Amino acid sequence: MDFELRILGSSSATPSANRHNTAQVLTLGNQHHLIDCGEGTQMQLMLYKIKHQRICNIYISHLHGDHYFGLAGLISTMHLQGRQAPLHLFGPPGLSEILSLQFKYSGTNLNFKLVFHELDTTCYKKVFEDKSITVHTIPMEHRVPCCGFIFREKLKARPLIKEKLPEFLRPPQLVRLKWGEDIKDETGNILVHNREVTLEPKRSRSYAYCSDSRYKPSLLPYLHHVDLLYHEATFTDELRERATYTFHSTARQAASLAAAAEVRHLLIGHFSVRYKDLTPLLQEAQEVFTATDLATEGSIFSVKE
Amino acid sequence: MDFELRILGSSSATPSANRHNTAQVLTLGNQHHLIDCGEGTQMQLMLYKIKHQRICNIYISHLHGDHYFGLAGLISTMHLQGRQAPLHLFGPPGLSEILSLQFKYSGTNLNFKLVFHELDTTCYKKVFEDKSITVHTIPMEHRVPCCGFIFREKLKARPLIKEKLPEFLRPPQLVRLKWGEDIKDETGNILVHNREVTLEPKRSRSYAYCSDSRYKPSLLPYLHHVDLLYHEATFTDELRERATYTFHSTARQAASLAAAAEVRHLLIGHFSVRYKDLTPLLQEAQEVFTATDLATEGSIFSVKE
């Protein structure tokens, strides 16, 4: 299954000539999960030929405009282009009220079901689950209620080694083997040792999206060993005081978290418009955590199984 | 004084790969008047190097998202970039409520004064006036409350022919001459004939913006002899029934209005995304009214004095 992140916007607060406001598409299998939706997201989706029909869920981290001002337009376009599949929207209190008011005044009755899931941004909580993934919120520390999201593949079944399977096994027993159990007789004696007839399962991949936040070391337990970590890095460390004051982070702080959490790969984004050239931010982060990349418009990051 | 229109968006309903939603900048002297503000307007302003600091007034014709979803983002950017000058916003009932809700949840206290002028979209009414222009609403016929806007220069002073002015004239009399009066003595005898010492004033220019509307011949009295008329032309006449049903107009209908109103120059826009090539719309309009142009992204239309 695909596990691929596409960056649509990397600019904080206001867009700049070459940078859009925050939005990312996480493609899991054949479904797109849209994370934040700054102004112009629907145009960015068009530019990168990402079909909005395949977006199943949209997650909004907080209600600063640079993270959601593209949402009403995108939903309107889905409506006008005939979407019928339900759309699940996860966001903080207030988001549903804003959209409802906008649709009231435009006389819009959506021709698909918009299912709103109000988030408690203060805690770690499972907000979505399907057969292959879970999504949890993680609490950020920002000027308004704000959370991040962790996407994790569920544990995968152990592949069966067909040529080693005894013939007496029936389907329910095969299922148990896939999930790591031994097969026993009625008295508890092991008939088939799991490890002898199965292989190690494929890795379960994970992506953590840390939206706008002051440097917050208490996030560490949530981020431990994730494959891909996005963390905002609005400023270089020279402006650490300004970062603290505005509830943002520096590139060095983002990298420190990545190093301490032993993640595989760090992406930094949400850059202040003052940085025309992003090299200083990247270098600063790489000094602390080598496997860092810039999450700039159009870039794609795949996580292999 | 400059009297110049810049088109920022020409697409109806949804943006397309090359077309943005409706927004136009009318530059009068050194001030910009922004007319409608579809998603992405602030990026289009950047692209064309139009300084949002010089926008004094914003006019929103109606609350369909393709005409105002860029507004909250633009106002946020003005705020974040330190605007202090008041901003006048003209729009239908509901717009102020929507913005207030968005700013409440983002914790935004604007550092400039946003003066909201609620429009009665059902009538012709003066909504703005300064020393050189007036702005009136004109009622459109659309699915939600919607109006257009007419921008008119005020009558201009008659230039004085200095070498022909008698020496006894004092400043208040000169002012009266500039505005077309003769100068008389106490008994009513004409001492100075206005036409002998003044020239014809420069023309007062006008621009009429007809936003989304079903074909509405009753607009004619408002549009008579305007220099520049923008009229939506969502469809070609082949789809006239669809235009009527959706409360939009065809290119032929827009041109018929322009011809009947004897305007100088017609611009058509708000094109359905079905038209990849806009030539059929232009040709159809030009068959009825030759002086027609496409109001496409980036184009500039100046009205000479």
Side-chain angles (χ1 to χ4, degrees):
Chain A
M1 151 168 142
D2 282 344
F3 193 108
E4 188 174 279
L5 184 72
R6 168 79 89 152
I7 308 300
L8 303 182
S10 71
S11 188
S12 73
T14 67
S16 67
N18 306 312
R19 299 209 288 269
H20 282 70
N21 278 146
T22 303
Q24 305 186 350
V25 177
L26 182 66
T27 302
L28 301 174
N30 59 2
Q31 290 192 307
H32 297 318
H33 296 253
L34 178 64
I35 308 167
D36 281 337
C37 188
E39 182 175 356
T41 294
Q42 60 172 322
M43 290 83 136
Q44 290 290 87
L45 288 170
M46 266 190 287
L47 180 64
Y48 300 118
K49 302 192 192 312
I50 298 167
K51 291 185 175 157
H52 57 68
Q53 293 87 336
R54 279 174 58 195
I55 295 175
C56 56
N57 294 358
I58 302 179
Y59 308 83
I60 301 296
S61 63
H62 66 299
L63 295 186
H64 281 156
D66 57 323
H67 291 256
Y68 88 96
F69 277 168
L71 182 60
L74 175 60
I75 293 175
S76 297
T77 293
M78 289 172 163
H79 165 70
L80 290 165
Q81 296 189 357
R83 182 183 181 114
Q84 296 193 315
L87 177 69
H88 291 267
L89 175 61
F90 302 79
L95 182 57
S96 171
E97 189 185 350
I98 292 167
L99 289 175
S100 299
L101 194 64
Q102 291 180 307
F103 291 140
K104 173 185 135 188
Y105 282 111
S106 61
T108 304
N109 278 312
L110 294 178
N111 45 22
F112 60 89
K113 197 168 174 190
L114 181 64
V115 187
F116 183 67
H117 304 264
E118 188 169 292
L119 300 176
D120 178 351
T121 58
T122 64
C123 63
Y124 175 73
K125 190 177 171 189
K126 185 162 70 186
V127 293
F128 178 74
E129 177 172 18
D130 67 10
K131 66 181 192 331
S132 51
I133 66 155
T134 59
V135 183
H136 287 73
T137 53
I138 41 177
M140 300 285 110
E141 189 175 331
H142 200 44
R143 302 193 301 276
V144 295
C146 181
C147 64
F149 302 98
I150 303 192
F151 299 79
R152 291 191 187 93
E153 280 189 310
K154 290 182 173 177
L155 283 183
K156 296 176 184 176
R158 302 180 70 84
L160 302 174
I161 309 169
K162 284 182 184 165
E163 56 278 18
K164 292 197 178 171
L165 292 172
E167 284 192 356
F168 64 80
L169 288 172
R170 285 176 305 165
Q173 292 170 313
L174 294 176
V175 171
R176 271 187 261 143
L177 281 171
K178 282 185 180 173
W179 294 105
E181 288 182 47
D182 296 326
I183 302 301
K184 300 173 183 175
D185 65 13
E186 288 151 4
T187 61
N189 293 323
I190 294 177
L191 298 177
V192 183
H193 285 269
N194 189 292
R195 299 294 152 123
E196 290 173 3
V197 298
T198 68
L199 298 172
E200 280 300 300
K202 288 186 176 171
R203 290 193 325 110
S204 297
R205 295 162 289 182
S206 53
Y207 172 54
Y209 172 78
C210 290
S211 186
D212 294 14
S213 185
R214 199 178 256 183
Y215 174 57
K216 194 179 179 189
S218 64
L219 289 177
L220 275 180
Y222 308 118
L223 307 181
H224 198 63
H225 283 193
V226 299
D227 291 286
L228 194 58
L229 167 64
Y230 166 88
H231 197 288
E232 71 123 297
T234 309
F235 303 106
T236 53
D237 216 51
E238 202 175 60
L239 294 178
R240 183 187 282 239
E241 277 185 29
R242 178 154 182 81
T244 306
Y245 175 71
T246 57
F247 288 80
H248 284 298
S249 300
T250 70
R252 181 177 301 277
Q253 289 172 330
S256 305
L257 267 183
E262 298 182 317
V263 308
R264 292 196 169 202
H265 192 178
L266 170 66
L267 309 176
I268 54 173
H270 199 265
F271 309 117
S272 163
V273 291
R274 79 193 62 208
Y275 303 107
K276 306 287 175 238
D277 172 16
L278 301 174
T279 317
L281 291 145
L282 181 61
Q283 283 176 345
E284 179 178 300
Q286 286 180 335
E287 280 169 20
V288 178
F289 188 78
T290 316
T292 304
D293 273 306
L294 296 171
T296 46
E297 283 70 7
S299 32
I300 298 179
F301 303 95
S302 282
V303 184
K304 299 275 175 277
E305 268 180 319
Chain B
M1 156 169 137
D2 281 344
F3 193 108
E4 187 175 279
L5 183 72
R6 168 79 90 152
I7 308 300
L8 304 182
S10 71
S11 188
S12 73
T14 67
S16 67
N18 306 312
R19 299 208 289 269
H20 283 70
N21 278 148
T22 304
Q24 306 186 349
V25 177
L26 182 66
T27 303
L28 301 175
N30 59 2
Q31 290 193 307
H32 296 318
H33 295 252
L34 178 64
I35 308 167
D36 281 338
C37 187
E39 183 175 355
T41 295
Q42 61 172 322
M43 289 85 135
Q44 291 290 87
L45 288 169
M46 266 190 288
L47 180 64
Y48 299 119
K49 301 191 193 312
I50 297 166
K51 291 185 175 157
H52 55 67
Q53 293 87 336
R54 279 173 57 195
I55 296 175
C56 56
N57 293 358
I58 301 179
Y59 308 83
I60 301 296
S61 64
H62 66 299
L63 295 186
H64 280 157
D66 57 323
H67 291 254
Y68 88 96
F69 277 168
L71 182 61
L74 174 60
I75 293 175
S76 297
T77 294
M78 289 172 162
H79 165 70
L80 290 165
Q81 296 190 356
R83 183 184 181 113
Q84 296 193 316
L87 176 70
H88 291 267
L89 174 61
F90 302 78
L95 182 56
S96 172
E97 189 185 350
I98 291 167
L99 289 175
S100 298
L101 194 65
Q102 291 179 309
F103 292 138
K104 174 185 134 187
Y105 282 111
S106 61
T108 303
N109 277 312
L110 294 178
N111 45 22
F112 60 88
K113 198 168 174 190
L114 181 64
V115 187
F116 183 67
H117 304 264
E118 188 170 290
L119 300 176
D120 178 351
T121 59
T122 64
C123 62
Y124 174 73
K125 190 176 171 188
K126 185 162 71 186
V127 293
F128 178 74
E129 177 173 16
D130 67 10
K131 66 182 192 332
S132 51
I133 66 155
T134 59
V135 183
H136 287 74
T137 53
I138 40 177
M140 301 285 110
E141 189 175 331
H142 200 44
R143 302 193 301 277
V144 295
C146 181
C147 64
F149 301 99
I150 303 192
F151 300 79
R152 290 191 188 94
E153 280 189 307
K154 290 182 173 178
L155 284 183
K156 296 176 184 176
R158 303 180 68 85
L160 302 174
I161 309 169
K162 283 181 185 167
E163 56 278 18
K164 293 197 178 171
L165 293 173
E167 284 192 356
F168 64 80
L169 288 171
R170 285 176 304 162
Q173 293 170 314
L174 294 176
V175 171
R176 272 188 259 142
L177 281 171
K178 282 184 181 173
W179 294 105
E181 288 183 47
D182 295 326
I183 302 301
K184 299 174 183 175
D185 66 13
E186 288 151 6
T187 61
N189 293 322
I190 295 178
L191 298 176
V192 183
H193 285 270
N194 189 293
R195 298 295 152 123
E196 291 172 3
V197 297
T198 68
L199 297 171
E200 279 301 301
K202 288 187 177 170
R203 289 192 326 108
S204 297
R205 295 162 289 182
S206 53
Y207 171 54
Y209 172 78
C210 289
S211 187
D212 294 14
S213 186
R214 199 178 257 183
Y215 175 56
K216 194 179 178 189
S218 64
L219 289 177
L220 275 180
Y222 308 118
L223 308 181
H224 198 65
H225 283 191
V226 298
D227 291 286
L228 193 57
L229 167 64
Y230 166 88
H231 197 288
E232 71 123 298
T234 308
F235 303 107
T236 53
D237 217 50
E238 202 175 61
L239 293 177
R240 183 187 282 239
E241 277 184 28
R242 178 154 182 79
T244 306
Y245 175 72
T246 57
F247 288 80
H248 284 298
S249 301
T250 70
R252 181 177 300 277
Q253 289 173 330
S256 305
L257 267 183
E262 298 181 317
V263 309
R264 292 196 168 203
H265 191 178
L266 169 67
L267 309 176
I268 55 173
H270 199 264
F271 309 117
S272 163
V273 291
R274 79 193 63 207
Y275 303 107
K276 306 289 175 238
D277 172 16
L278 300 173
T279 316
L281 291 145
L282 182 61
Q283 283 177 345
E284 179 179 299
Q286 286 181 333
E287 280 168 21
V288 178
F289 188 78
T290 316
T292 304
D293 272 307
L294 296 170
T296 47
E297 281 69 8
S299 33
I300 298 180
F301 303 95
S302 282
V303 185
K304 299 275 177 274
E305 268 180 317

